[in-house]
PDB file of all heavy atoms in Angstrom:
ATOM      1  N   GLY R1495      17.909  27.152 -23.944  1.00  0.00           N
ATOM      2  CA  GLY R1495      17.495  28.191 -23.013  1.00  0.00           C
ATOM      3  C   GLY R1495      16.018  28.435 -23.096  1.00  0.00           C
ATOM      4  O   GLY R1495      15.526  29.480 -22.663  1.00  0.00           O
ATOM      5  N   SER R1496      15.265  27.485 -23.645  1.00  0.00           N
ATOM      6  CA  SER R1496      13.841  27.718 -23.847  1.00  0.00           C
ATOM      7  C   SER R1496      13.072  26.416 -23.636  1.00  0.00           C
ATOM      8  O   SER R1496      13.331  25.701 -22.681  1.00  0.00           O
ATOM      9  CB  SER R1496      13.611  28.292 -25.249  1.00  0.00           C
ATOM     10  OG  SER R1496      12.298  28.746 -25.399  1.00  0.00           O
ATOM     11  N   THR R1497      12.136  26.093 -24.542  1.00  0.00           N
ATOM     12  CA  THR R1497      11.237  24.960 -24.337  1.00  0.00           C
ATOM     13  C   THR R1497      11.757  23.691 -24.995  1.00  0.00           C
ATOM     14  O   THR R1497      12.704  23.705 -25.790  1.00  0.00           O
ATOM     15  CB  THR R1497       9.859  25.278 -24.935  1.00  0.00           C
ATOM     16  OG1 THR R1497       9.997  25.426 -26.360  1.00  0.00           O
ATOM     17  CG2 THR R1497       9.293  26.560 -24.354  1.00  0.00           C
ATOM     18  N   ASN R1498      11.090  22.568 -24.681  1.00  0.00           N
ATOM     19  CA  ASN R1498      11.464  21.288 -25.274  1.00  0.00           C
ATOM     20  C   ASN R1498      11.264  21.286 -26.787  1.00  0.00           C
ATOM     21  O   ASN R1498      11.994  20.616 -27.519  1.00  0.00           O
ATOM     22  CB  ASN R1498      10.648  20.159 -24.650  1.00  0.00           C
ATOM     23  CG  ASN R1498      10.977  19.967 -23.183  1.00  0.00           C
ATOM     24  OD1 ASN R1498      12.018  20.394 -22.712  1.00  0.00           O
ATOM     25  ND2 ASN R1498      10.067  19.324 -22.464  1.00  0.00           N
ATOM     26  N   GLU R1499      10.251  22.038 -27.272  1.00  0.00           N
ATOM     27  CA  GLU R1499      10.036  22.118 -28.713  1.00  0.00           C
ATOM     28  C   GLU R1499      11.253  22.703 -29.415  1.00  0.00           C
ATOM     29  O   GLU R1499      11.648  22.254 -30.491  1.00  0.00           O
ATOM     30  CB  GLU R1499       8.807  22.971 -29.032  1.00  0.00           C
ATOM     31  CG  GLU R1499       7.485  22.333 -28.680  1.00  0.00           C
ATOM     32  CD  GLU R1499       7.155  22.460 -27.202  1.00  0.00           C
ATOM     33  OE1 GLU R1499       7.849  23.232 -26.502  1.00  0.00           O
ATOM     34  OE2 GLU R1499       6.219  21.794 -26.748  1.00  0.00           O
ATOM     35  N   ASP R1500      11.863  23.701 -28.790  1.00  0.00           N
ATOM     36  CA  ASP R1500      13.051  24.310 -29.388  1.00  0.00           C
ATOM     37  C   ASP R1500      14.230  23.352 -29.384  1.00  0.00           C
ATOM     38  O   ASP R1500      15.074  23.383 -30.277  1.00  0.00           O
ATOM     39  CB  ASP R1500      13.414  25.598 -28.653  1.00  0.00           C
ATOM     40  CG  ASP R1500      12.350  26.667 -28.814  1.00  0.00           C
ATOM     41  OD1 ASP R1500      11.881  26.855 -29.943  1.00  0.00           O
ATOM     42  OD2 ASP R1500      11.992  27.306 -27.817  1.00  0.00           O
ATOM     43  N   MET R1501      14.309  22.495 -28.383  1.00  0.00           N
ATOM     44  CA  MET R1501      15.399  21.530 -28.321  1.00  0.00           C
ATOM     45  C   MET R1501      15.368  20.594 -29.515  1.00  0.00           C
ATOM     46  O   MET R1501      16.399  20.314 -30.125  1.00  0.00           O
ATOM     47  CB  MET R1501      15.327  20.729 -27.015  1.00  0.00           C
ATOM     48  CG  MET R1501      15.686  21.508 -25.771  1.00  0.00           C
ATOM     49  SD  MET R1501      15.416  20.577 -24.247  1.00  0.00           S
ATOM     50  CE  MET R1501      16.491  19.164 -24.480  1.00  0.00           C
ATOM     51  N   ILE R1502      14.189  20.097 -29.861  1.00  0.00           N
ATOM     52  CA  ILE R1502      14.126  19.119 -30.947  1.00  0.00           C
ATOM     53  C   ILE R1502      14.293  19.790 -32.307  1.00  0.00           C
ATOM     54  O   ILE R1502      14.689  19.149 -33.282  1.00  0.00           O
ATOM     55  CB  ILE R1502      12.811  18.310 -30.904  1.00  0.00           C
ATOM     56  CG1 ILE R1502      12.954  17.061 -31.777  1.00  0.00           C
ATOM     57  CG2 ILE R1502      11.613  19.158 -31.307  1.00  0.00           C
ATOM     58  CD1 ILE R1502      11.827  16.076 -31.637  1.00  0.00           C
ATOM     59  N   LEU R1503      14.019  21.077 -32.391  1.00  0.00           N
ATOM     60  CA  LEU R1503      14.167  21.775 -33.665  1.00  0.00           C
ATOM     61  C   LEU R1503      15.604  22.183 -33.948  1.00  0.00           C
ATOM     62  O   LEU R1503      15.927  22.594 -35.057  1.00  0.00           O
ATOM     63  CB  LEU R1503      13.257  23.011 -33.692  1.00  0.00           C
ATOM     64  CG  LEU R1503      11.753  22.709 -33.697  1.00  0.00           C
ATOM     65  CD1 LEU R1503      10.955  23.987 -33.569  1.00  0.00           C
ATOM     66  CD2 LEU R1503      11.354  21.945 -34.947  1.00  0.00           C
ATOM     67  N   ASP R1504      16.486  22.084 -32.955  1.00  0.00           N
ATOM     68  CA  ASP R1504      17.902  22.377 -33.150  1.00  0.00           C
ATOM     69  C   ASP R1504      18.544  21.170 -33.851  1.00  0.00           C
ATOM     70  O   ASP R1504      18.610  20.074 -33.293  1.00  0.00           O
ATOM     71  CB  ASP R1504      18.579  22.629 -31.809  1.00  0.00           C
ATOM     72  CG  ASP R1504      20.005  23.143 -31.942  1.00  0.00           C
ATOM     73  OD1 ASP R1504      20.660  22.851 -32.965  1.00  0.00           O
ATOM     74  OD2 ASP R1504      20.460  23.845 -31.026  1.00  0.00           O
ATOM     75  N   LYS R1505      19.015  21.381 -35.076  1.00  0.00           N
ATOM     76  CA  LYS R1505      19.572  20.278 -35.862  1.00  0.00           C
ATOM     77  C   LYS R1505      21.079  20.114 -35.678  1.00  0.00           C
ATOM     78  O   LYS R1505      21.688  19.247 -36.306  1.00  0.00           O
ATOM     79  CB  LYS R1505      19.252  20.477 -37.340  1.00  0.00           C
ATOM     80  CG  LYS R1505      17.757  20.578 -37.638  1.00  0.00           C
ATOM     81  CD  LYS R1505      16.973  19.409 -37.057  1.00  0.00           C
ATOM     82  CE  LYS R1505      15.487  19.542 -37.291  1.00  0.00           C
ATOM     83  NZ  LYS R1505      14.706  18.482 -36.603  1.00  0.00           N
ATOM     84  N   ALA R1506      21.675  20.933 -34.822  1.00  0.00           N
ATOM     85  CA  ALA R1506      23.114  20.814 -34.599  1.00  0.00           C
ATOM     86  C   ALA R1506      23.419  20.290 -33.199  1.00  0.00           C
ATOM     87  O   ALA R1506      24.190  19.344 -33.035  1.00  0.00           O
ATOM     88  CB  ALA R1506      23.797  22.167 -34.821  1.00  0.00           C
TER      89      ALA R1506
END
Side-chain angles (χ1 to χ4, degrees):
S1496 190
T1497 64
N1498 294 340
E1499 289 80 12
D1500 295 315
M1501 289 174 60
I1502 196 170
L1503 293 174
D1504 189 333
K1505 302 307 177 186

